[in-house]
Amino acid sequence: MNNTKATWIWYPGDFEMMLFGKCMARRYERDVMIAPFWRMDGYYHTVKFVREFTLSKPDRIRVLAEGEFNISFEGAGYVREFDGCLELPAGTHKMSVLIHNDGGLPCLYMEGEELVTDKAFSVTCQDHTLLPVGSWNFTAERSPNGYRLPERAARFLSERKVAGGTLYDFGREVTARLRLNGLRVGQTVEISYGESQEEALDVLRSEQFDRITASGETVTLPITKTFRYVYLPAAESCRAELLEELPPSPTRSKFRSSDKLLQDIWDTAIRTNELTNREFFIDGGKRDRWSWSGDALQSEWISFYSTFDTEIVKRTVRALGGKSPVATHVNHITDYTLYWILSLYDYYEYTGDLYFVREKFSLAEEYMRFCGGRTTEEGFLNWRPNDWVFIDWADMDNRGETSFEQILYAAALREMSRLAASLGKDGEAYARESRRVFDNTVKVFWKNGAFVHARRDGVLGEKVTRYSNLFAILYGFADEGMRESIVKNVILNDNVQKITTPYMRFYEFIVLCRTGRAREMTEELKKYWGGMLQEGATTFWEQYDPDEKGVKKYAMYDRPYGKSLCHAWGATPVYLIAACLFGIRPAETGYASFVCAPETDVLGDCEILVPTAHGSVRVRIEGGAVEIENENCGGRAELPLRYAKSAPERMIGTENGKVIFRIDRGERVTFVPKED
Amino acid sequence: MNNTKATWIWYPGDFEMMLFGKCMARRYERDVMIAPFWRMDGYYHTVKFVREFTLSKPDRIRVLAEGEFNISFEGAGYVREFDGCLELPAGTHKMSVLIHNDGGLPCLYMEGEELVTDKAFSVTCQDHTLLPVGSWNFTAERSPNGYRLPERAARFLSERKVAGGTLYDFGREVTARLRLNGLRVGQTVEISYGESQEEALDVLRSEQFDRITASGETVTLPITKTFRYVYLPAAESCRAELLEELPPSPTRSKFRSSDKLLQDIWDTAIRTNELTNREFFIDGGKRDRWSWSGDALQSEWISFYSTFDTEIVKRTVRALGGKSPVATHVNHITDYTLYWILSLYDYYEYTGDLYFVREKFSLAEEYMRFCGGRTTEEGFLNWRPNDWVFIDWADMDNRGETSFEQILYAAALREMSRLAASLGKDGEAYARESRRVFDNTVKVFWKNGAFVHARRDGVLGEKVTRYSNLFAILYGFADEGMRESIVKNVILNDNVQKITTPYMRFYEFIVLCRTGRAREMTEELKKYWGGMLQEGATTFWEQYDPDEKGVKKYAMYDRPYGKSLCHAWGATPVYLIAACLFGIRPAETGYASFVCAPETDVLGDCEILVPTAHGSVRVRIEGGAVEIENENCGGRAELPLRYAKSAPERMIGTENGKVIFRIDRGERVTFVPKED
């Protein structure tokens, strides 16, 4: 009997190319479809699967394939008069299945007693290279070509008459398809959606709008929208309900806190994350519904503390990386190519999945060659007409060379050297270049105790921004003196331009924690994300400026409701709480062991459960006692020194004013502090 | 008013990728679909068309697109509430149309009074590169996604009862879909096709076989077959008729000869060419229905003397070249990559179409880099496990280095240098390498007045074959002494292994002509192709060995009817008669002028009309007088010296025992010989 379950298989990465094309074209601005402005790669329509296997007894194998196909066996040739099942004798067989699918993904499913389609199959696009197949969890009944996220029927919380129409309120943000009942055939219905009530009621200017002509009594809209409110300006007798689209995998983490605000922030961040976890990590549910590598990196970090859905990470990395030949930066953004490299490395750190690193490594190398081909003599990535240097939505001039890109580049180079090493390759050239880029960055941009933002035409600017300074600490490039200087001169300096996106505030908050300011970070976190809650947020926003009040706060991109009120990068409190305040992270690649370093003085009574690559870790803080319970892997706790006496037999050592305890596999341990 | 007609437009090359995938998967061996074993590239599903244009007055533009799309104008943004027509004011507009098509080719059609979709549009796959669009002759009613060759109803010439079934005979080879009438619903019918009667009647072993279950009284088979005979073993009341599939363009050449055999050979070659001119040049109608670069080069040469269909040439070159990155040889065959380069150059020679050279040049360079990366120190292309060195179907060992590949490589390198020059680029590096490769080939392989076939592990073989020796003359590398030596030691030497495929005999016949043996060539041509006619051929075969008689002659590849009896490379008498015996060819790139050098002493009374890039050339030989009539371009005639006195005012000079006359544009000139 086989040990693995049969799944559909395909050419690696091609399911993602096919699905990415479909999903990215689902962005609509009212009646206008808006597909991305970067290259979306096609996929192979003709591929060949091969497998050598041995049957201990005769087997009857059911075969499903999408596309025209043939099956052949070495020595026996093509299978003729094929009726859907293969009857094979015991023994060793060398099988090939060639599939051509004009309009979709060529894919294969086989299920016998001893042979099933699984990762043991190889595939080729017939370029003389055999690759491990792509696969997931598709069963006989559900092929990759028909993949859809699950849906469930849902009802609005309330409805009321406004200006002759009906305003529906779901009570919170949702991604769903609308279903209208009680229609007259031929009746035209206009539908205005809103993340805010103001938007839904502003029928001519809402970002999401449908106009349908009823073909029957009930009409279900084909494409989901993301909204809280729906307004039918002239709905007459029709009634609206929903098909809510669910994320691809459930949230596996839990957080319970006696701090109501922190609890609300967590819950709202989780909801935000769920709505931006679709087939891929997307930036926002309403706008722009695309995957962006910089945003996706944060979603990935969040996923490790919520769903631990490794498949959505891989899908997104595959889709964003696209296919060789590399001709542009990922998303056309220089920073985003570098984040793409980092996302591959971080995935490896949390999962230890060398299989995936191997799949993507040559493309990663091609991206690094692409970057290397666009550097100055100092090794700097500079602004070029077609290379968007994004950094953040804020007032800044990124032409010339920015210190931020160089530090991010140095980080990507260093992680490439580590990825190379993970595959047993020599990554020293990457490591060397990383050091050179950072050293030159210091030489050029470090002035008066901070990194200056940019140099243009050889002239160093005067403006200091937070970004490069944060990243020098975040990626561990800054030494102790630099760190102190950056904290004082930049991070705690109110004269340095403030960050208004959750995107970059996130990194600032991590750095606050890293530099021993967990309490300040938590206060700021509650102020910033709490501010959105006070404004009525049920998911977190793309941008938040406490000074913007009323309907004005919904505007962005010169559009009155252009701002996304459910944006992936708004969900980072999940990471800030779990990874920074509880300090839970892998101690070794692939979560072979974990570390837990809770900020006991900041957190108050609370409890968290987070998934790991092999199970979960639960931490409870109550009346000063810290209980840590872990499944399937051991690790260590880093606690203030006053816990030292509670379990001396477990002490490993002390470090930076903390005592380090051993926690064995599958154990629950409680540490009780002794007040000095 | 616009001058060009509206046509559908697309990303260049992608129509061909889409169509190639479909067509190449139409090869069936009985019930088994057999798609090619080389990489078939996908195509972009999301592309953006752009156009800047000026309207002298308001215009109403009809828009058709396949896929979801949006239209935007610089300054005005997206077109909203689009109803199928654009109403534009006079003035200058910068327009973008972004199309996403999940399951097919994204393509666009626009038709206004002043603006139409045509070659003036550009397109991008959003890699920062704008390319001229792909287009052809698709009108509003007929989009590239629905492209099919034309069909016409046809009837069998005869039918008769054989062994309880019905044998239909079309009288000659045809490519067609069968239509069965008079069926009972649910009735199962078996259909055995044959290029020969023997094959059709051999129901269990015929190469093409269908089994259908009737869903109605009439069933039309979905996929064409190529055959002369159809046998229905148990057809009862059902009657068969045909939908004959026509080639994409008509034969424009004519040949009339008093020599009945030569006339039959021409007509049969033309029929062979028509049946192997489908969406692409394919090798055979029955088997294997694929495009092969070496075969396609011959089809291309034939096309210049039959259809002058430049579109099928471009389609085939695009499809076989595929997309970057180059990972294997064209068709996996080393020689075939080189033929692909030659096919691009020859296309340029006959058409002068720099637009297409520009489209394919960077891919050609990539192929040359690919070859250059697989050479030895001497610059030789040697046999490698994944690189099939084909040369010809014959008994030979192509491992190690073959002299043939080197001479072909030298030819490809030289033509690359010329293609580079045509685009104003420096091609000297290619020219230099070409000379080096040929010089080293002489150094290594030239022994006792002939090129030896191969060297393996540093040891030169003893076997001499015709191939490299022919090509050294064909591509003008051999000097006078070498030519004489090759003719004597190889071509006229019966001890050197004979060629049995029309594929390589073709080159041998050209060389016979080039070395002053037109009469011998003509006799051999009549013997070889005439031999197939005597065996009952209605189209020419993949291979012909006069010693194989009876049903045995249909066998190949260890299959009783494996031989293709309608094979593209059988059609070369069209070229041999038109280009070699009449000597009609471009005198300058793009047929700016032509040359006509008829073998008056060989041809007898006859007449030929061949198309050129700008019109046609007609040559009539009657009672020794040669009349040359040309449309739209001037040129020259090369005739035996005895014609010199007939038109002294037109004489340009003499060369190689021939006198050269000027022929002006659009003229008809008669030359009358004065017997010495």
Side-chain angles (χ1 to χ4, degrees), chain A residues 6 9 83 107 127 191 285 403 426 434 445 447 468 522 578 588 643:
Chain A
I9 56 175
D83 65 357
C107 52
D127 62 350
I191 307 156
S403 53
D426 179 7
S434 169
F445 294 97
K447 290 285 171 251
S468 52
T522 310
E588 294 168 82
Y643 289 83

Side-chain angles (χ1 to χ4, degrees), chain A residues 21-22 25 28-46 68-70 78-82 98 100 102-103 125-128 211 324-325 327-328 332 386, chain B residues 21-22 25 28-46 68-70 78-82 98 100 102-103 125-128 211 324-325 327-328 332 386:
Chain A
K22 279 186 193 177
Y28 275 79
E29 277 179 31
R30 298 179 65 90
D31 61 330
V32 178
M33 181 283 303
I34 304 186
F37 57 86
W38 60 76
R39 192 183 77 187
M40 306 282 291
D41 286 317
Y43 51 95
Y44 294 114
H45 291 269
T46 311
E68 297 290 310
F69 68 102
N70 68 52
Y78 293 111
V79 175
R80 299 188 177 274
E81 316 229 346
F82 179 70
L98 177 67
H100 170 78
D102 261 352
C125 65
Q126 309 198 101
D127 62 350
H128 296 312
R211 181 185 289 122
S324 177
T328 66
H332 289 320
N386 283 326
Chain B
K22 281 187 192 177
Y28 275 79
E29 276 178 32
R30 297 181 66 91
D31 62 330
V32 178
M33 181 283 303
I34 304 185
F37 58 83
W38 59 78
R39 193 183 78 187
M40 306 282 290
D41 286 316
Y43 52 95
Y44 295 113
H45 291 269
T46 311
E68 296 290 309
F69 68 102
N70 68 50
Y78 293 112
V79 175
R80 298 187 179 274
E81 318 230 344
F82 179 69
L98 177 67
H100 170 78
D102 261 352
C125 65
Q126 308 197 101
D127 62 350
H128 296 313
R211 181 184 290 119
S324 176
T328 67
H332 290 320
N386 283 326

Side-chain angles (χ1 to χ4, degrees), chain B residues 99-246:
Chain B
I99 309 187
H100 170 78
N101 189 339
D102 261 352
L105 181 75
C107 51
L108 178 67
Y109 181 93
M110 288 189 164
E111 188 175 10
E113 272 207 65
E114 292 193 286
L115 177 75
V116 297
T117 38
D118 59 13
K119 290 198 173 188
F121 275 69
S122 299
V123 66
T124 179
C125 65
Q126 308 197 101
D127 62 350
H128 296 313
T129 307
L130 272 180
L131 298 174
V133 293
S135 69
W136 188 21
N137 60 0
F138 292 108
T139 54
E141 295 67 35
R142 208 170 63 103
S143 96
N145 283 301
Y147 176 57
R148 289 201 66 150
L149 291 175
E151 289 182 327
R152 70 172 168 215
R155 295 188 176 282
F156 286 99
L157 200 65
S158 69
E159 59 177 90
R160 64 191 172 92
K161 293 284 162 198
V162 180
T166 311
L167 178 70
Y168 293 85
D169 179 3
F170 191 71
R172 59 174 182 165
E173 287 260 338
V174 67
T175 297
R177 299 193 288 148
L178 208 61
R179 175 173 287 167
L180 300 177
N181 299 304
L183 297 165
R184 285 191 328 273
V185 172
Q187 179 184 1
T188 294
V189 182
E190 294 191 335
I191 307 156
S192 174
Y193 303 82
E195 291 193 294
S196 62
Q197 182 173 313
E198 291 89 331
E199 183 183 10
L201 292 172
D202 198 346
V203 176
L204 295 176
R205 303 197 297 169
S206 56
E207 292 274 319
Q208 300 172 106
F209 177 88
D210 278 320
R211 181 184 290 119
I212 60 141
T213 302
S215 53
E217 203 185 313
T218 295
V219 168
T220 305
L221 278 291
I223 291 178
T224 61
K225 310 278 179 187
T226 296
F227 55 90
R228 174 175 166 177
Y229 301 92
V230 165
Y231 181 58
L232 307 182
E236 300 167 33
S237 64
C238 109
R239 300 176 315 278
E241 54 182 25
L242 298 175
L243 284 174
E244 181 176 3
E245 187 187 72
L246 303 176

Side-chain angles (χ1 to χ4, degrees), chain A residues 13-26:
Chain A
D14 274 10
F15 168 62
E16 286 77 4
M17 298 302 143
M18 181 271 288
L19 190 64
F20 203 50
K22 279 186 193 177
C23 295
M24 292 302 102
R26 283 196 209 133

Side-chain angles (χ1 to χ4, degrees), chain B residues 412-453:
Chain B
L413 284 162
R414 190 188 60 201
E415 308 316 38
M416 268 304 283
S417 78
R418 293 173 175 169
L419 285 170
S422 77
L423 297 176
K425 296 172 194 281
D426 180 8
E428 184 46 33
Y430 290 118
R432 208 163 39 236
E433 187 62 11
S434 168
R435 288 190 295 270
R436 183 171 87 96
V437 170
F438 183 72
D439 290 349
N440 284 341
T441 305
V442 173
K443 260 185 226 156
V444 170
F445 295 95
W446 184 259
K447 290 285 170 247
N448 307 320
F451 287 102
V452 169
H453 184 74

